[in-house]
Each structure stands twice: as structure tokens, then as C-alpha cells.
Amino acid sequence: MLLQIKNLHAQINGKEILRGVNLEVKAGEVHAIMGPNGTGKSTLASVIAGREVFEVTAGEVLYNGKNLLEMPVEQRAREGIFLGFQYPVEIPGVSITNFMRTALNEVRKYHGQEPLSGAAFLARMEEKKKLVEIQSKLTNRSVNEGFSGGEKKKNEIFQMAMLEPQLAILDETDSGLDIDALRIVANGVNALRSKDNAIIVITHYQRLLDYIVPDIVHVLFDGKIVKTGGKELALELEGKGYDWIRKELETR
Amino acid sequence: MAMSSYNGILGDTKGIAGLFEHKLSTSEFKGGKAYTEIRKGAIASFLKSGFPGKEDEKWRNSDIEKFLESRFEFAEGALPADVDVDKIFACEVPDLDTWLITLLNGHYAAKNSDLRILPQGIIIGSLSRAMRDAHELVEAHLGRLVNNDKNAFAALNSALSGDGVFIYVPDNVIVEKPIQMVNVVNSESGSLFMQPRNLVILGKNSQLQLVHCDDSRDQAMHFTNAVTEFFIGDNASLDHYKMQNINDHSAVLHSGWFTLGRDSRLTTNAISLNGGFIRNENEIVLKGEGADANALGVYLVDKKQHVENHVHVSHLVPRCTSSELFKGILDDYSTAVFTGHILVARDAQKTEAYQSNRNIQLTDKARVNTQPFLEIYADDVKCSHGATVGQLDAEAMFYLKSRGIGEENAKMLLMYAFASEIVQKISILNLRERIDDMIKKRLRGELSICDQCVLHCSKPDQPIQFEIDMSKI
């Protein structure tokens, strides 16, 4: 089992957002987590990645059997977890090259590998840029600075490609994308799918799931996963909205 | 025995007055009658005000007590003849080809000639020699810009300075290679008080890139009180880079006095990498329409280091532009001061003036005092000022860490990024790369004063490595 979340509770400023999430993800799977605004989707992603503003009050998260919640943010990343940000951060003055090279070499060091040579690193940059159809020279550009919404999201998938995570959580990667950019981003993600890794896609809309077809779809509602199904569940949600789930919960 | 070996407590103004009288009576002063009159006025100004203290608005956040209470040797005399400067240091910025002027302990140090005439009539060398050999130029300019009543240290320099650098660029001459002036402090005999006085004259339509370095070669407490006057002619252009890398016990004060002619351009960039007490004052007067002045600086301080930047820009005529951008990173117990004063005179319509001071405070013990100030008497102007003091951006830190980058390297990347905005504005490519490397080293705590700003020790038993492991950055 790659990821096991058991009865996870988390709060921010005393307000409980996650109220007992259970989730299991195996290598090779693509999961979609859907749900209305404010139900805790992004919080779940943040807690897995290690954002410190959230306080875990109960439950556990195991990653490859290890206690994830004890690890600092960077160690989680080195262990193979990647968060695709809903709002990627602009960092003026830090070039993408320096950023990625530092990150990649720190991850390699953690696994006892030698740093990549300059030439090997640049070759890898070029290869991965193609995956998300980035034409511009990234070398001299600062991380996300002045990027359009689409460029920022492409850049997230580019970073994912560079780092080759075992578990990628893509937090509303589709928001702010036009249809062409959406297709490019989805193609990039699909190219990175393998039997050894897993992807959790967080989204409001079915639209993204036409391109990244999930194996399993979850509905997160009021801080809990209330429904799990196959890819057809996403279509059902698209057709009927979330109200029927609310009603279904009330009648229980 | 000349009084050039005067040795005393710095704050002892009576001792300084005596030194002045002695030099006057023994005709030790260089510069001719006209400059002697300036010296007399300057010492009177100095003795009237005395050394500044906390009660002076401009020194409220400066602590120079320990220097005033310390004993220094006034380095007024010429160098011993047998000093071979090349044995002490050698300039080795890779591929930086410059005209080099070296001062040792505030005095011109050259093996060949004290005053060199370069192609196209450019003159560089010792100011004291220029007082004799180029006296018309010197007399027409020296002491014209410095307001001795306004600045006690500048007054002291005006009164007592014995030597410094003289640079003259004739009309229409573009100096192809940068000129590099280096003041190296190296004394085996104890603490030195040095007062280099520099004069830079740019004729109309001329261009100059000037690299100006202050370095220590030992660990003693020294005090440099430097003054430079810059005359920038109509449509002339000056790029001025000041590199400061002195030991933790020493002080460097530098006041730069600039006057800009019509459509002229100035960039003055102060890069303060290390020092116990550094104070840079820029007095910039925009006198000709269309003049453009940029004052920049970056300071990286830790331990108990202290850096100040004071900029006063006077817009006296219409259509001039000025901008100020100073950025600092403060660690440990370090302190920094910034004051920026933009004066726009009543007739200086269409002025554009911007001012910004930004600081990153890495500990809550570090302290920044920043005072932007606008004084505007014209009505058709665009002016702005701003100051920030903050920590490293938490969102950016999280973003970097979420990719596997550890705390140390994440901080390093963000600090480097913050400082690099200033470094990127260095127009001499090789120098920019060199400073870029030095800032990385400084941020990683690997810069020692032996890694001279643009100098290497030439002592073979002290090899210096400058390779930067980019993977760590």
C-alpha cells in the first residue's frame, strides 16, 4: 500500500476541516477527489504535503508504511510525494534552473545518489519541457514570475516530471486553464502515469477527468469521504450536482 | 620627524587641532595656497561641530563611540619607498581587464609613476601628485562640492587629507576599460586612521566605469574616512561600483559628492559584503536638465556588524529623474540604517524620483532603522518612497521545501534572490559574475576577508578557492 489515511482529523485556527478521512491508494492507481467548495479537498492535500498551518488532531497517515506526519515537508518530498499547487508561488530572483537543480540534487542525495552533472541535468530539463510543451527558455526565468495561469500549471507538471514522484497530488490543476492548456497538462500527467506511481487528482469538475481518466473517484463532503466509486461516479456528479449526495446523507 | 606619525585618541579634537596647526606651520600640506584656504575653512567647520554624536539627527542610530575612544595612528605621510604593492595583493577578477589604481593605507601606491596619462588624454593617479602636475584641473574642482558645515567627517577629510585618487576624463572620451581603485589596509604597526580624498572629473559626452574597493588585509581596528567628489559633465555617464569588504573591527565612512550636468547619467552601487561599521553617504545634485541618477546598494550583515546608507538627492532643475533602491539582509545582532531624502526645488517640474529600502530580518535581534523622506516644492512631479522590513516569505519557503529542498538551501535561494536584484544591475559582466559568486559565498558564511573583494592574497601559503558549487545554491 502506497498511502494509507486512517480517520484523519485536521483543523486550522481551531476550526475542524477534516473530520475522519479514510483513504487507501495503491501504486498504479489514479484517484480523483471531488466535492463542493470548502469541504476540505485542498486541506487534505496540504496535510499530506506537510503545510504547517494545519494541525492534525487525530488519525494517521502512512506512506510506504512510514509515519508521514512525523516528517518535515522536505523529507516527504524526498520520499516521493509531490504537491501540484492550486496557486503556484511566484519567487522573483530564483531561476527555474537553480530551483530544479537544487531540488533534484537534494532528493538524489537523500537516496544516496550522486548529483546530476550539469549536462545530464540540462538534457533532462529539455526532455521534460517537451512533455508539457514548454517552448520558452526556462533558464533565465524566475519561478512562476509573470507566468500566465496556464504557464504556472504547466510548470507544476514540468516539476513533477523532473522529480518523478511516487505519489503526486494535483490540487485543482485544471482551475484557470483554457481547453488547450488543459489538454496539454492532462497529456503531461498521463505520460507520467505508471504502475509504480499513483496520482490523486483534486477537482471540482468532470472536465479534467475526460482527459485524466481515474480508476477511483471519491466525494469529499464536510471533511469526510462520503462516497467512492468508479469513473462513472464523476459523470453522475456532473449531471446531478452535489445536492443529491447531501440529500442521500440526510436520509441516512 | 614630521607629524605624519601622529598617534592619538580619535575623539581628541584638541589633538587634531594641534596636528593641523603643526602641518600648516611646517608647510606639510599639499595643494597650493587655494586649497590651503579650503583646509583652514574645513578645520574651522570641524572644530565648531566636533565629532557627531547620538544627539545629531543623522547619527542617532550610529554608534561610533568605540572608535572615538580608540587610539589610531594618523596615516598622513607617504609610503615607505620600499613597499612593493604587488607583493601584498594582486588583482585577479577573471577576465576583468581594468586600469588599476591602488591605494595602500589611503596613499597612492605605484611602482612606476604617480600620475599616468592614458590614451586620449585620460589622467589617473595620485591626487597629491595631480595637485602639482595638473593643478589647474584640481584647483577648479577640489573642494567645490563638499559642504564642510554639513558633514564633520568630510570636513576633517578636507582639512587633513594627504592623498587619494585623481581621475580625469576629457570631453568626448569613452574610457574603454573600467578603472579600478582599490584601497587596501594593511598595517603591522597598529590601528590606522586614513583619510583618502578622491577627485573624479568627467568631461562632457564622456563615459567611465569605475570600480571602487575597500579591503582589509589584517584583523586590526582601522578607520577609513574617505571623501570623493564626482563632476559629471553634460551628457556624460558614470557607472560607479563600491565594494566594501573589510574586517569586523574596522570602519569605513565614505561620502560621495556628485554633481550632474545636462542629460548626464549616474549609477552608484554600494555592495557592502563585510565590515564592522560601514557608512555610505551620497550627496547627489542634479544641476542640468534631463540628468538621471540611480543610487543602489545591497548590504549583507551579521554578528554585530553595522551598515548605513544615506542618500540625499537634490532636483534643482526640470525633467530630471532619480531612483534609489537599497536592499539588506540582516542576521544575528546586526544593524542597518537607511535615510533617503529627495528634495525637489520649486522650479524642478517634471521631476521623477523614486526611493525604496527593503530589508530581510533573519532574527528578531537584528535591527533596521529606515527613514524615507520627500521634500517637494514643485507641483508637477512623480515621486514615491517606500520601506519594508520583513522575514523570508513563508509561502515561498513552503513551495521550495515541497520540492525536497531543505531549510538551509531554501533560505539561501530566497536570500540570494533578494540580493540579486541589485547584482543584476551591474553592467560590467565579469564583475557581476564575480560579485554574484561572492554574495553566494557570503550568504553561506564562507566569505573571509582574505577573499578580498576583487583581490587575492598572493601569498602562496594562503590559497583561495572561488569555485562555487552551484548544486548548493
Side-chain angles (χ1 to χ4, degrees):
Chain A
M1 191 69 62
L2 191 58
L3 181 73
Q4 264 181 302
I5 300 177
K6 297 177 192 167
N7 189 34
L8 183 65
H9 289 251
Q11 61 176 32
I12 183 166
N13 301 329
K15 190 183 174 212
E16 189 168 51
I17 310 285
L18 300 182
R19 306 162 178 237
V21 173
N22 292 292
L23 179 66
E24 292 194 343
V25 178
K26 294 193 190 76
E29 291 176 345
V30 173
H31 290 237
I33 297 178
M34 303 183 72
N37 281 328
T39 55
K41 301 190 299 296
S42 289
T43 301
L44 179 61
S46 292
V47 169
I48 297 171
R51 198 186 279 272
E52 278 149 15
V53 292
F54 296 99
E55 187 194 346
V56 174
T57 51
E60 64 177 341
V61 181
L62 299 177
Y63 175 74
N64 282 325
K66 296 177 195 163
N67 182 354
L68 194 70
L69 299 177
E70 281 184 349
M71 297 179 196
V73 180
E74 60 270 29
Q75 193 186 346
R76 298 180 196 203
R78 294 168 190 170
E79 286 279 349
I81 289 179
F82 178 90
L83 174 64
F85 281 56
Q86 184 179 359
Y87 304 108
V89 183
E90 296 194 13
I91 312 182
V94 176
S95 74
I96 295 170
T97 316
N98 260 353
F99 172 40
M100 275 294 104
R101 191 155 180 205
T102 309
L104 199 57
N105 283 339
E106 287 215 33
V107 173
R108 290 176 69 89
K109 191 177 169 191
Y110 182 77
H111 294 286
Q113 295 166 304
E114 289 292 308
L116 272 188
S117 73
F121 172 78
L122 290 175
R124 188 176 173 131
M125 287 260 292
E126 286 309 307
E127 179 200 333
K128 305 301 184 187
K129 270 165 65 180
K130 286 191 191 119
L131 204 65
V132 280
E133 301 179 30
I134 294 177
Q135 266 102 29
S136 65
K137 279 184 92 173
L138 289 175
T139 344
N140 297 321
R141 293 188 73 178
S142 292
V143 176
N144 293 322
E145 191 187 29
F147 284 25
S148 69
E151 281 179 312
K152 282 182 182 168
K153 295 302 173 74
K154 279 200 235 175
N155 190 29
E156 292 294 288
I157 305 306
F158 164 73
Q159 292 173 37
M160 173 181 163
M162 289 295 288
L163 295 168
E164 295 178 338
Q166 213 181 357
L167 174 66
I169 305 154
L170 306 178
D171 188 7
E172 302 205 19
T173 296
D174 51 338
S175 67
L177 292 187
D178 62 32
I179 196 72
D180 289 332
L182 182 74
R183 194 175 35 78
I184 291 170
V185 162
N187 286 345
V189 173
N190 286 331
L192 297 170
R193 280 175 89 155
S194 84
K195 63 177 175 35
D196 300 319
N197 63 26
I199 300 168
I200 299 174
V201 177
I202 292 173
T203 182
H204 283 294
Y205 305 108
Q206 152 68 21
R207 193 177 69 153
L208 177 67
L209 305 181
D210 288 340
Y211 295 94
I212 304 174
V213 180
D215 301 302
I216 300 163
V217 176
H218 309 276
V219 178
L220 190 67
F221 206 90
D222 268 349
K224 278 183 197 172
I225 287 177
V226 296
K227 206 168 185 64
T228 296
K231 62 187 176 212
E232 61 289 345
L233 177 57
L235 287 169
E236 202 177 350
L237 289 166
E238 184 79 356
K240 300 202 231 167
Y242 291 107
D243 274 356
W244 66 279
I245 291 187
R246 186 173 288 119
K247 280 176 192 145
E248 207 177 271
L249 287 173
E250 283 163 4
T251 56
R252 257 187 221 170
Chain B
M1 183 72 191
M3 281 284 282
S4 52
S5 60
Y6 175 82
N7 187 310
I9 302 292
L10 180 57
D12 173 16
T13 48
K14 277 186 189 150
I16 289 171
L19 172 66
F20 184 86
E21 288 306 323
H22 177 85
K23 281 175 170 281
L24 198 62
S25 63
T26 57
S27 307
E28 264 187 59
F29 283 135
K30 295 195 174 88
K33 267 190 187 162
Y35 196 69
T36 300
E37 289 309 308
I38 290 176
R39 289 186 191 276
K40 286 180 186 167
I43 196 77
S45 297
F46 171 74
L47 292 174
K48 191 175 162 202
S49 66
F51 283 104
K54 296 257 184 197
E55 66 283 0
D56 293 283
E57 178 62 25
K58 288 192 163 176
W59 289 81
R60 209 156 44 89
N61 299 301
S62 317
D63 190 2
I64 52 163
E65 278 299 302
K66 74 170 179 213
F67 294 105
L68 294 180
E69 289 164 4
S70 297
R71 183 169 284 276
F72 289 93
E73 182 186 338
F74 278 51
E76 300 299 325
L79 287 173
D82 57 350
V83 169
D84 184 352
V85 178
D86 292 347
K87 285 231 172 91
I88 297 164
F89 57 82
C91 175
E92 277 186 27
V93 178
D95 307 318
L96 178 60
D97 185 16
T98 63
W99 298 108
L100 183 64
I101 309 172
T102 45
L103 295 179
L104 180 60
N105 303 336
H107 285 266
Y108 189 78
K111 278 188 295 187
N112 304 321
S113 167
D114 284 350
L115 203 60
R116 282 186 284 172
I117 301 194
L118 306 180
Q120 297 179 285
I122 302 160
I123 306 174
I124 64 173
S126 155
L127 179 64
S128 74
R129 178 57 66 94
M131 286 172 171
R132 196 185 75 191
D133 296 349
H135 61 91
E136 282 178 14
L137 273 172
V138 173
E139 277 162 24
H141 296 91
L142 188 63
R144 305 284 164 172
L145 301 181
V146 176
N147 183 343
N148 291 318
D149 291 330
K150 197 177 163 181
N151 188 319
F153 275 100
L156 187 59
N157 178 295
S158 295
L160 284 169
S161 176
D163 200 2
V165 168
F166 176 71
I167 297 172
Y168 169 67
V169 183
D171 292 354
N172 308 312
V173 169
I174 292 167
V175 185
E176 303 286 348
K177 288 200 283 191
I179 293 178
Q180 185 181 7
M181 49 193 277
V182 184
N183 185 29
V184 177
V185 183
N186 188 28
S187 166
E188 280 159 17
S189 60
S191 295
L192 292 179
F193 182 72
M194 290 148 285
Q195 307 206 73
R197 176 65 170 240
N198 312 306
L199 177 59
V200 178
I201 305 165
L202 270 70
K204 65 184 183 199
N205 308 315
S206 69
Q207 288 180 26
L208 172 66
Q209 293 174 314
L210 179 61
V211 184
H212 181 170
C213 309
D214 281 295
D215 290 278
S216 306
R217 276 292 294 115
D218 60 31
Q219 286 293 350
M221 177 200 270
H222 300 298
F223 196 114
T224 302
N225 174 33
V227 171
T228 310
E229 290 173 283
F230 297 90
F231 292 82
I232 305 169
D234 292 351
N235 197 39
S237 165
L238 173 65
D239 266 358
H240 175 233
Y241 302 99
K242 203 161 42 180
M243 245 65 68
Q244 296 167 318
N245 190 26
I246 56 166
N247 72 41
D248 289 349
H249 316 291
S250 289
V252 165
L253 268 63
H254 178 263
S255 61
W257 306 73
F258 301 86
T259 180
L260 278 79
R262 178 182 284 266
D263 296 319
S264 63
R265 297 164 303 280
L266 163 69
T267 297
T268 177
N269 192 340
I271 296 145
S272 307
L273 292 174
N274 202 77
F277 184 103
I278 294 175
R279 181 176 166 115
N280 295 310
E281 297 180 55
N282 287 322
E283 193 73 37
I284 300 169
V285 180
L286 302 167
K287 268 187 139 167
E289 282 194 37
D292 173 46
N294 301 284
L296 310 163
V298 59
Y299 41 96
L300 310 174
V301 281
D302 60 5
K303 292 166 279 186
K304 288 186 168 176
Q305 298 176 352
H306 177 84
V307 172
E308 302 182 20
N309 284 285
H310 303 267
V311 183
H312 190 286
V313 182
S314 301
H315 285 258
L316 301 184
V317 293
R319 290 194 311 104
C320 291
T321 48
S322 70
S323 71
E324 293 165 40
L325 177 60
F326 285 81
K327 299 181 87 171
I329 302 176
L330 294 95
D331 202 351
D332 303 330
Y333 292 83
S334 60
T335 48
V337 177
F338 173 82
T339 65
H341 187 152
I342 298 171
L343 167 75
V344 181
R346 206 185 49 175
D347 298 330
Q349 302 295 358
K350 307 281 181 196
T351 286
E352 286 189 32
Y354 306 100
Q355 184 184 79
S356 172
N357 174 229
R358 295 173 58 198
N359 297 279
I360 289 180
Q361 219 178 349
L362 295 176
T363 69
D364 54 8
K365 305 287 188 223
R367 210 175 69 240
V368 181
N369 284 288
T370 175
Q371 286 180 302
F373 187 66
L374 301 177
E375 187 183 358
I376 301 173
Y377 299 103
D379 49 20
D380 184 11
V381 301
K382 281 188 199 161
C383 292
S384 74
H385 64 83
T388 58
V389 180
Q391 284 78 44
L392 291 172
D393 182 52
E395 266 303 293
M397 281 293 282
F398 177 67
Y399 193 71
L400 296 173
K401 287 183 184 179
S402 79
R403 301 307 186 234
I405 299 175
E407 174 91 15
E408 278 308 303
N409 274 342
K411 273 170 77 175
M412 206 68 71
L413 279 168
L414 293 182
M415 291 192 295
Y416 168 69
F418 180 80
S420 74
E421 185 182 355
I422 302 292
V423 179
Q424 292 312 313
K425 294 181 193 289
I426 297 176
S427 64
I428 305 170
L429 182 65
N430 294 322
L431 183 68
R432 179 166 73 218
E433 289 173 352
R434 182 77 172 84
I435 297 300
D436 201 55
D437 277 358
M438 294 197 64
I439 285 191
K440 286 171 187 163
K441 274 191 112 171
R442 176 69 173 95
L443 293 173
R444 288 210 303 266
E446 293 171 8
L447 186 76
S448 77
I449 66 140
C450 202
D451 301 343
Q452 299 296 342
C453 146
V454 282
L455 306 170
H456 287 212
C457 298
S458 58
K459 292 181 184 170
D461 56 327
Q462 288 178 294
I464 295 171
Q465 305 289 327
F466 278 108
E467 288 89 25
I468 299 295
D469 180 357
M470 284 301 292
S471 68
K472 287 186 183 165
I473 269 290

